[in-house]
Amino acid sequence: MTSTASIIDGKAFALGLRARIAELTADFAAEAGRAPGLAVVLVGEDPASAVYVRSKHKACVEAGMASFEHRLPADTSQVELLALVGTLNADDAVDGILVQLPLPAQIDENRIIAAIDPDKDVDGFHPVNAGRLATGLDGFVPCTPLGCLMLLKNRLGSLSGLDAVVIGRSNIVGKPMAALLTKESCTVTVAHSRTRDLPAVVRRADIVVAAVGRADMVKGDWIKPGATVIDVGINRVDGKLVGDVDFASVARVAGAITPVPGGVGPMTIAVLLRNTLVAAHRNAGVALAPDAI
Ligand SMILES: Nc1nc2c(c(=O)[nH]1)N[C@@H](CN(C=O)c1ccc(C(=O)N[C@@H](CCC(=O)O)C(=O)O)cc1)CN2
């Protein structure tokens, strides 16, 4: 059987979003007299992380933002990294701070995230921002789930009343994704490694978000016909990038599906720019219309 699902082109959507952010960045710079600034910290030489940090720098510059890159050696101590975060918190040219994850084993990620000023936490990982999201207050939302939500709303319009299953309960994707879908009035199930009869749970869903980190795990016979499937997985198998969704079998049943690569991944960086622009407006006291982005 051939593929019937529409392909959700995250790469094209992200490019459109980045163009809009570049326009708004120029407006901000004209009003505030400075560009929004993003500081990105990379510790060590993980090759994938180095690629992501380079892409973030390029995206920032293309949008007209100031990019401050800090590359630290793999044996950097937690105290040294905390000191850098403290310096960036106090720097008025820095609107957003992002510490690229994962960090080397000698550094406690949670300790570093907690040290970032919540109002510069453009990754949305700080417990204060997690709490703001959970309680419906304004704050920064993690980039990958917010990018998934934008793709879903662009495809489906209102999500109200839809059944959504999020597979994975990480602090970075699964939990914030569930909170965002709940806010959109979906009926949300968070499934994970202990979920009984996962295929049966997924089969109920109008929306499936797979963020579990296991290559090709979600199969076509788990999917309700016509469902929208968002694949957050980035797994390298035999040098090839594959998602958590078995694309070939799922695309025969789903109504729409994100590819890997070219689906959710590019949205992560576009939303990072969006969060940095929002942070700059708040820090400079410059208004940004709620529906501007
Ligand atoms: N501090 C953070 N660390 C990490 C985050 C994050 O949001 N904040 N997310 C991931 C990595 N990540 C950004 O940092 C990221 C992952 C993937 C992509 C992307 O565009 N992927 C492309 C494929 C790229 C490739 O060929 O390797 C795609 O899916 O099309 C962008 C950013 C972990 N760490």
Side-chain angles (χ1 to χ4, degrees), residues 52 56 98-101 123 125 234 236 241 261-262 265-266 268:
Y52 299 140
K56 288 173 186 183
L98 177 149
V99 178
Q100 188 64 31
L101 302 180
D123 253 335
F125 295 164
I234 301 179
R236 274 170 220 278
L241 212 59
T268 298

Side-chain angles (χ1 to χ4, degrees), residues 39 41 81-82 84-86 88-90 94-101 103 109-129 132 140:
V41 181
L81 185 53
L82 285 171
L84 174 58
V85 169
L88 297 173
N89 281 341
V94 172
D95 295 296
I97 302 170
L98 177 149
V99 178
Q100 188 64 31
L101 302 180
L103 287 168
E109 274 177 15
N110 290 328
R111 185 75 187 74
I112 300 302
I113 290 167
I116 297 172
D117 177 346
D119 295 327
K120 293 191 176 190
D121 168 40
V122 285
D123 253 335
F125 295 164
H126 193 289
V128 164
N129 282 316
R132 286 170 174 162
F140 292 109

Side-chain angles (χ1 to χ4, degrees), residues 160-178:
S160 179
L162 296 179
D163 276 312
V165 171
V166 179
I167 314 172
R169 53 178 162 177
S170 70
N171 290 339
I172 290 175
V173 182
K175 285 177 193 154
M177 189 75 242

Side-chain angles (χ1 to χ4, degrees), residues 30-127:
E31 195 166 344
R34 67 171 182 89
L38 174 67
V40 178
V41 181
L42 174 63
V43 185
E45 278 105 40
D46 176 69
S49 293
V51 169
Y52 299 140
V53 166
R54 223 173 300 129
S55 304
K56 288 173 186 183
H57 171 75
K58 188 168 169 270
C60 253
V61 172
E62 282 175 7
M65 296 186 183
S67 163
F68 308 104
E69 251 184 70
H70 296 267
R71 291 169 180 268
L72 305 180
D75 62 358
T76 298
S77 70
Q78 182 162 298
V79 170
E80 286 167 322
L81 185 53
L82 285 171
L84 174 58
V85 169
T87 304
L88 297 173
N89 281 341
D91 185 343
D92 288 341
V94 172
D95 295 296
I97 302 170
L98 177 149
V99 178
Q100 188 64 31
L101 302 180
L103 287 168
Q106 75 275 13
I107 300 177
D108 177 352
E109 274 177 15
N110 290 328
R111 185 75 187 74
I112 300 302
I113 290 167
I116 297 172
D117 177 346
D119 295 327
K120 293 191 176 190
D121 168 40
V122 285
D123 253 335
F125 295 164
H126 193 289

